[in-house]
Amino acid sequence: NRGMKTSDITDVMVCEAVAEYQSDPHHKLFPYEIIATKTGCAEKVAFRAMERADDRGYLEYGVSLRTAWLTDKGLELLAPTKTDKQTEV
């Protein structure tokens, strides 16, 4: 969907793409490419969503945002909530 806006891409989607990128030993696709592939948005829109997630403290990077990793805050965003876990009997 080429009509997608940055606001259509959630921080969770960005963090999931960054986690997927980091878990791929060959780093075939950068996170913004993963987002663009999954949503059909333009890569520049996906990259802008990464910039926004970085501004909000979910990502950290060295040389380039393209190779970002999740901060503790980003990891918390992806962590299952207590209501998602099975309750023990």
Side-chain angles (χ1 to χ4, degrees):
N1 181 351
R2 292 286 171 188
M4 284 188 77
K5 301 177 294 206
T6 304
S7 60
D8 296 326
I9 301 168
T10 66
D11 291 328
V12 170
M13 292 165 70
V14 172
C15 289
E16 287 172 344
V18 169
E20 185 176 326
Y21 168 77
Q22 289 297 337
S23 69
D24 176 8
H26 303 291
H27 299 305
K28 293 179 190 137
L29 294 175
F30 289 114
Y32 66 91
E33 294 172 321
I34 293 169
I35 295 165
T37 300
K38 288 183 177 181
T39 66
C41 74
E43 288 183 0
K44 67 182 179 182
V45 172
F47 192 82
R48 177 63 192 108
M50 288 183 67
E51 291 175 328
R52 183 193 64 210
D54 175 54
D55 290 344
R56 293 178 176 171
Y58 295 116
L59 307 179
E60 217 167 45
Y61 63 95
V63 175
S64 172
L65 182 59
R66 295 184 334 158
T67 58
W69 58 89
L70 297 174
T71 62
D72 288 342
K73 185 177 176 182
L75 290 168
E76 285 174 23
L77 188 64
L78 294 184
T81 62
K82 290 181 182 174
T83 56
D84 290 342
K85 295 178 186 171
Q86 276 187 316
T87 54
E88 294 181 30
V89 177

